[in-house]
Amino acid sequence: MTIDTLISNHNLSVSAATVVKPFDSDNFKESVMDTYARFPIALERGAGCRVWDSTGKEYLDLVAGIATCTLGHAHPAMVETVTRQIQTLHHVSNLFYIPVQGQLAQWLVQHSCAEKVFLCNSGAEANEAAIKLARKYAHTVQNIEHPVMLTANASFHGRTLATITATGQPKYQKNFAPLVPGFHYVPYNEIQAIEAAISELDEGDRAVSAILLEPLQGEGGVRPGEVAYFQAIRRICDETGILLILDEVQAGMGRTGKLWGYENLGIEPDIFTSAKGLGGGIPIGAMMCKQHCDVFAPGDHASTFGGNPFACAVALTVCQTIERENLLENVQARGEQLRTGLRALAAKYLALITDVRGWGLIHGMELAADSEITAADVVKAAIAEGLLLVPAGAKVLRFVPPLIVTETEVNLALQILEKAIAAVQA
Ligand SMILES: *Cc1c(COP(=O)(O)O)cnc(C)c1O
């Protein structure tokens, strides 16, 4: 079968799916574990920044799989690569060389401060790899027997045991004790807290070996890092040899208008991680570091699926498309347009909207703490009007559209959002 027939068959079966029997959520819940509070629509098809539910209703998608569908849905470049790679070679073991894994790693090295790349399948896995690398670095380079990693309150680093421990939000840790030892939390954007923790924790054979932070806190409420804070941390790390690890899982891959979140802060990390936007929705993660931190040897870390030809080919296509289509410029322009529109809404609904913040195409709109209206209320109203949004905590609405979003689509999203706000206030 040629690529053309495959693509046209794909489109045919997809449009046929919109006329089959209605989706039954009770039936779904009978066999799927109840780990998500889901909004009551079932999504079946997407194209660009639009998705359609099981009833055929169209939505403008400002969720993008939570900052993941970099190129939107059914992007021709992704369709072409997915089709070609599945026909050529989709999976082989890392016991053999995988050329396209090398090409992806080379692209990442050429387009970041990293010199080495480890490929895995998700954000939590990338952070888990970074935590392991920092632990080995502590034992073999820093000579710290009981290394401590500082992380921030309201951070989010994933759902594995080590990454929920790193995550500074008790709600994600509840009932999962005992957690992983060796983590300590500090308030975000407060340099004195970092300095105090480093000196307090330095006792006997225990010391701070690494600081793990998001350049912009995503799940924790879309809170950008402050330039002065990160520059001071960089100085401390340079003076002490403590590693600076940045979790770029949500902020990286062009989302902020720069390829990496750290470029907004004027610093470079020693280690950083990527996942969400990297594969444009195909599962992949990466843990990257400067040469001096690369202490892994054969056997230290591994992943069966990590870096397989399928995921790497798609991620490489996403990277090359960001470059070829000048998507960073689009992110900056559309981000500015979105921020201006959100600020205009905030000025109009003063009692409800208390803050608008973010970088590029990751923005948060905070609702008044004393209002009864929650972010989920506005999301539900927006869904009813045909706009997909996602909360970031109870009181923050998050806007993370595909990086290909157009001027018309941003305007439409703002119009629908205003309708939704008016509806929840009524
Ligand atoms: C989503 C996210 C993760 C976890 O990624 P998964 O792919 O869900 O494991 C980690 N860190 C940040 C900053 C994230 O936004």
Side-chain angles (χ1 to χ4, degrees), residues 66-68 121-127 155-160 163 167 214-219 247-251 273 275-276 284 398:
I66 310 195
T68 294
N121 311 289
S122 68
E125 272 187 43
N127 288 332
S155 60
F156 185 81
H157 300 295
R159 300 298 202 117
T160 63
T163 57
T167 294
E214 293 158 87
L216 168 153
Q217 290 190 327
E219 307 293 316
D247 179 342
E248 294 262 5
V249 169
Q250 189 157 167
T273 54
K276 286 192 168 81
I284 187 167
R398 182 169 17 171

Side-chain angles (χ1 to χ4, degrees), residues 125-318:
E125 272 187 43
N127 288 332
E128 191 84 29
I131 293 165
K132 280 182 70 178
L133 187 70
R135 287 266 172 104
K136 184 168 180 192
Y137 187 86
H139 292 295
T140 60
V141 179
Q142 295 165 321
N143 286 314
I144 304 172
E145 198 170 333
H146 292 289
V148 179
M149 184 173 282
L150 299 183
T151 68
N153 294 339
S155 60
F156 185 81
H157 300 295
R159 300 298 202 117
T160 63
L161 209 43
T163 57
I164 59 166
T165 310
T167 294
Q169 299 193 58
K171 69 173 180 185
Y172 293 115
Q173 301 170 340
K174 192 172 167 247
N175 289 329
F176 297 119
L179 298 177
V180 176
F183 290 88
H184 182 88
Y185 312 101
V186 289
Y188 191 62
N189 278 338
E190 280 184 32
I191 194 65
Q192 298 86 345
I194 295 256
E195 290 164 344
I198 291 171
S199 70
E200 274 163 32
L201 292 162
D202 188 359
E203 194 188 300
D205 48 22
R206 182 187 69 188
V208 171
S209 76
I211 303 170
L212 166 63
L213 296 166
E214 293 158 87
L216 168 153
Q217 290 190 327
E219 307 293 316
V222 191
R223 255 165 246 288
E226 285 169 14
V227 171
Y229 173 70
F230 276 89
Q231 296 197 342
I233 292 176
R234 184 66 268 176
R235 267 196 306 279
I236 292 170
C237 289
D238 288 341
E239 283 160 16
T240 58
I242 292 172
L243 293 175
L244 175 56
I245 308 174
L246 292 185
D247 179 342
E248 294 262 5
V249 169
Q250 189 157 167
M253 284 303 289
R255 176 129 315 263
T256 68
K258 311 267 188 196
L259 193 57
W260 304 107
Y262 65 75
E263 294 174 54
N264 298 280
L265 299 167
I267 53 135
E268 290 183 354
D270 300 293
I271 301 172
F272 66 103
T273 54
S274 176
K276 286 192 168 81
L278 180 57
I282 300 299
I284 187 167
M287 187 272 286
M288 298 166 265
C289 73
K290 300 250 176 138
Q291 186 67 51
H292 76 97
C293 319
D294 179 22
V295 292
F296 276 166
D300 278 343
H301 199 50
S303 166
T304 297
F305 291 122
N308 88 8
F310 184 79
C312 287
V314 179
L316 184 61
T317 291
V318 171

